[in-house]
Amino acid sequence: MAKRFNVNGACKPNKHYMVDLTSRMEQIKAMVDNGDYFTINRGRQYGKTTMLMSLVRYLGRDYDVVFLDFQDLTASAFEDEESFSEAVAGTILCAADDLPEDIREQIEAFEKNTAVKNPMQKLFRIFTAWCRASEKPVVLLIDEVDTATNNQIFLDFLAQLRKAYLASSLRPTFQSVILAGVHDVQNIKRKIRPDEEHKVNSPWNIAADFLVEMSFQPTDIAGMLREYEKDYATGMDIEDISQSIYDYTSGYPVLVSRICKLLDERIAGTKTFQTKSAAWTKDGIVQAVGMILTESNPLFDSLIDKVNTYPELKNILYDILMNGAEISYNPDLPSVHLALMYGFAKKEASRLVIANRIFETRLYNYFFSMENERKSEMYRIGEREKYRFIENGELNMEQILERFVVSFDDLYGDREEQFIEDDGWRFFLLYLRPIINGVGNYYIEARTRNNERTDVIIDYHGKQTVCELKIWRGNAYNERGEQQLSDYLDYYHLDKGYMLSFCFNKNKNIGVREVKVGGKTLVEAVV
């Protein structure tokens, strides 16, 4: 059976095209060799389960590896200590193939009768005996720990693991324990001992830092595509396609795989992309990204659910995207912690930025919808006029600017300066969205997003267009902006760019003109 790209559950090397995880396995094994206990915390569908299953195979040469999934435990397993201990014992019996026979008998007997005093302590005494009797050191992997993070019984379990780790010089215990989930259990706190000071500690403050990079770099994506290319010989430019996929996803694993899966299974063979060779192009990638931006899937369902559940998360994402705010990286702020934990944002230098272009655009679309875009007259004008701007399948950006200038001046030309300064660029995107909807998409370049300048990159049928939106600050400032845009076009290998300036001078000359700067053609619109 031919391999496929996978976005549902863990990837299997014999069934799915996968990134080579060898270097990551080596880094994690070094931590295991060192006896580290740690957590793998990443957002939804970030490849955590695939990583753990690969670890089971990779570590199996030197360790007895037991892989538990807390999703296998029902809600009743967390009702009390006896139920939890019994459920864990049963899960270990199913998961551990190389249990010493006498240990298996002890666990079987324990599973049948947990009606003893302090069953969890009894279970950990069996663990000690197991680690003593095993020919190889024992490594415990637990996936989906989020299932239990709000449960006191699980916190007691963590406290027992911590106790065993701290006493490892006195009695055998697990060589390493690895917990995987979205939430960082290291930040869960409880009263471990009810002393008079009621001290509150983390039951997982023994965890080592997990610094292994789990996002896919362009070289990782290229390696996966080479395997695909061996099967289908599309003739794609692997390095170029890998970089383009990375540019949209920043290596978020499920987004990388989703683009590839769409190109392979749904875009190739269509009227526009009749062959796989035609699909595996930048034009095909734009089509795939457009499909992702409009589909319902577990990742985006989770994103919007979390945004609506946590007002502080919604506010910080809104400030970054809609207000151009620069948010300093401060993990002690709940809003920053949430954005990082759920994978919606990342640390870049000393500030917080949205994790990738796809998340950015999806959130822009969501926030614009929140603001009733269909009630916006600019949106309705763009929707009404959208067909006039397409010529031979290409976007006539100059004509879009001309019509926007006229429409904006008619509707909002007499508004106060602060209104235009805060919202001018939003009106342009509201005007643009229905024009490119379903065929193209846009994203805002994070490096230039601020209160005075925003660069919008528009993808339409595989062709990129750069349009700088800015506030008019005089001729000298405008000339610097022209030079900046000219230099920026070099980065995108373009000879032509566009500039839309919102000017507050009473004697301004609205309209569109063309200028030459540094060998580039700039179409400048002033409103």
Side-chain angles (χ1 to χ4, degrees):
M1 179 183 292
K3 288 186 177 183
R4 303 176 68 182
F5 293 102
N6 179 50
V7 295
N8 301 312
C11 293
K12 301 175 178 62
N14 61 326
K15 292 184 177 181
H16 304 129
Y17 294 110
M18 290 178 58
V19 163
D20 184 0
L21 299 177
T22 302
S23 63
R24 296 167 175 84
M25 294 294 102
E26 291 172 347
Q27 294 176 68
I28 297 175
K29 184 176 183 297
M31 297 182 70
V32 172
D33 292 343
N34 195 47
D36 290 336
Y37 285 32
F38 54 95
T39 58
I40 300 177
N41 298 116
R42 294 295 186 275
R44 279 184 61 89
Q45 295 184 285
Y46 216 99
K48 298 181 294 293
T49 301
T50 297
M51 183 76 76
L52 290 182
M53 293 182 69
S54 297
L55 273 174
V56 172
R57 294 185 292 269
Y58 191 81
L59 297 175
R61 294 170 294 182
D62 301 309
Y63 298 101
D64 282 338
V65 184
V66 183
F67 179 33
L68 309 184
D69 188 339
F70 270 12
Q71 284 192 134
D72 294 337
L73 306 186
T74 63
S76 62
F78 298 96
E79 289 181 356
D80 51 48
E81 188 174 324
E82 291 81 2
S83 299
F84 180 80
S85 300
E86 178 184 350
V88 171
T91 304
I92 288 175
L93 286 173
C94 294
D97 296 327
D98 299 322
L99 277 174
E101 190 58 34
D102 62 324
I103 301 300
R104 181 174 293 277
E105 291 174 357
Q106 290 184 53
I107 295 179
E108 287 174 346
F110 176 82
E111 183 193 19
K112 294 175 182 177
N113 180 26
T114 56
V116 296
K117 187 177 181 180
N118 298 323
M120 194 174 295
Q121 289 184 5
K122 176 67 181 300
L123 180 62
F124 270 82
R125 285 198 291 271
I126 296 175
F127 288 167
T128 297
W130 173 16
C131 294
R132 180 181 291 117
S134 178
E135 293 182 1
K136 295 188 288 187
V138 182
V139 175
L140 178 63
L141 313 181
I142 304 179
D143 197 10
E144 299 294 346
V145 293
D146 302 83
T147 307
T149 49
N150 291 324
N151 188 281
Q152 182 64 42
I153 302 299
F154 175 66
L155 300 184
D156 292 338
F157 180 72
L158 287 182
Q160 289 295 322
L161 286 171
R162 175 178 180 270
K163 180 180 177 181
Y165 172 84
L166 295 174
S168 59
S169 61
L170 302 176
R171 64 183 72 92
T173 189
F174 297 115
Q175 168 73 16
S176 178
V177 176
I178 306 171
L179 309 180
V182 174
H183 297 86
D184 186 356
V185 297
Q186 188 170 355
N187 292 324
I188 300 173
K189 296 183 178 181
R190 60 158 297 224
K191 295 174 186 175
I192 291 180
R193 53 188 182 277
D195 60 21
E196 59 182 13
E197 295 180 1
H198 299 290
K199 293 181 179 178
V200 178
N201 294 313
S202 166
W204 202 241
N205 59 7
I206 57 173
D209 292 332
F210 183 75
L211 303 177
V212 178
E213 180 57 67
M214 289 182 62
S215 63
F216 298 160
Q217 299 303 305
T219 52
D220 295 320
I221 301 170
M224 179 171 62
L225 294 186
R226 287 190 188 94
E227 185 180 3
Y228 177 86
E229 190 69 0
K230 289 178 182 178
D231 292 337
Y232 293 102
T234 68
M236 75 170 88
D237 185 331
I238 290 176
E239 277 67 32
D240 194 41
I241 294 299
S242 299
Q243 184 63 52
S244 185
I245 292 174
Y246 179 82
D247 288 342
Y248 281 105
T249 65
S250 295
Y252 200 109
V254 72
L255 294 177
V256 171
S257 296
R258 186 61 178 159
I259 289 175
C260 293
K261 188 175 183 68
L262 289 172
L263 289 171
D264 179 52
E265 298 179 15
R266 290 180 53 186
I267 293 176
T270 61
K271 183 177 180 180
T272 306
F273 304 93
Q274 297 183 7
T275 65
K276 290 187 182 296
S277 297
W280 285 93
T281 59
K282 287 188 175 181
D283 198 356
I285 292 172
V286 170
Q287 182 81 1
V289 171
M291 294 168 71
I292 290 172
L293 290 173
T294 56
E295 70 181 5
S296 176
N297 62 45
L299 179 63
F300 293 128
D301 290 347
S302 175
L303 186 155
I304 299 303
D305 175 68
K306 296 299 185 295
V307 166
N308 288 325
T309 299
Y310 300 104
E312 63 269 44
L313 175 63
K314 176 185 284 188
N315 291 340
I316 197 172
L317 296 177
Y318 187 94
D319 278 348
I320 292 172
L321 293 173
M322 307 300 281
N323 297 330
E326 287 210 5
I327 307 297
S328 298
Y329 172 73
N330 183 349
D332 295 327
L333 290 177
S335 55
V336 172
H337 175 71
L338 287 168
L340 292 170
M341 180 174 67
Y342 289 123
F344 305 151
K346 61 185 178 180
K347 177 186 176 184
E348 190 172 276
S350 60
R351 64 191 182 114
L352 194 72
V353 299
I354 306 302
N356 55 67
R357 290 179 184 172
I358 292 178
F359 279 4
E360 278 196 355
T361 305
R362 189 84 181 210
L363 286 167
Y364 271 123
N365 293 344
Y366 173 72
F367 288 136
F368 275 130
S369 297
M370 279 177 53
E371 297 180 347
N372 299 316
E373 65 180 18
R374 291 196 175 275
K375 294 181 181 179
S376 165
E377 187 61 28
M378 289 305 303
Y379 186 94
R380 286 195 288 268
I381 293 173
E383 193 168 39
R384 188 168 60 245
E385 298 183 343
K386 60 185 178 182
Y387 297 109
R388 69 186 295 173
F389 303 122
I390 312 302
E391 298 178 357
N392 300 319
E394 293 188 4
L395 207 59
N396 188 326
M397 194 63 193
E398 187 168 350
Q399 194 172 92
I400 288 175
L401 290 178
E402 289 173 352
R403 288 299 302 160
F404 176 79
V405 166
V406 173
S407 299
F408 187 89
D409 189 62
D410 288 344
L411 291 171
Y412 308 113
D414 59 349
R415 292 294 186 96
E416 61 185 21
E417 177 176 335
Q418 193 61 48
F419 168 82
I420 298 174
E421 186 166 343
D422 289 344
D423 296 321
W425 67 272
R426 301 187 197 184
F427 284 110
F428 178 72
L429 291 183
L430 282 170
Y431 183 74
L432 180 67
R433 285 191 64 200
I435 297 171
I436 65 174
N437 188 38
V439 179
N441 52 71
Y442 68 87
Y443 64 91
I444 293 178
E445 178 53 69
R447 289 175 296 177
T448 63
R449 185 198 297 113
N450 57 49
N451 291 332
E452 295 191 349
R453 175 188 172 199
T454 298
D455 287 330
V456 178
I457 315 300
I458 303 162
D459 285 326
Y460 195 88
H461 275 320
K463 182 178 179 180
Q464 288 189 314
T465 300
V466 177
C467 183
E468 178 181 302
L469 314 179
K470 66 185 183 67
I471 305 299
W472 179 273
R473 301 296 188 202
N475 288 324
Y477 177 83
N478 190 63
E479 289 174 2
R480 289 196 300 272
E482 291 173 342
Q483 187 58 55
Q484 285 177 326
L485 179 57
S486 176
D487 295 340
Y488 198 48
L489 292 173
D490 284 333
Y491 176 80
Y492 282 94
H493 307 292
L494 296 172
D495 294 321
K496 192 172 187 177
Y498 302 84
M499 182 182 293
L500 174 60
S501 298
F502 295 91
C503 181
F504 309 119
N505 295 343
K506 292 183 179 180
N507 299 322
K508 64 185 177 183
N509 294 317
I510 67 170
V512 179
R513 67 184 184 122
E514 187 176 289
V515 299
K516 297 287 186 178
V517 178
K520 306 293 185 182
T521 299
L522 305 186
V523 177
E524 297 186 7
V526 176
V527 63

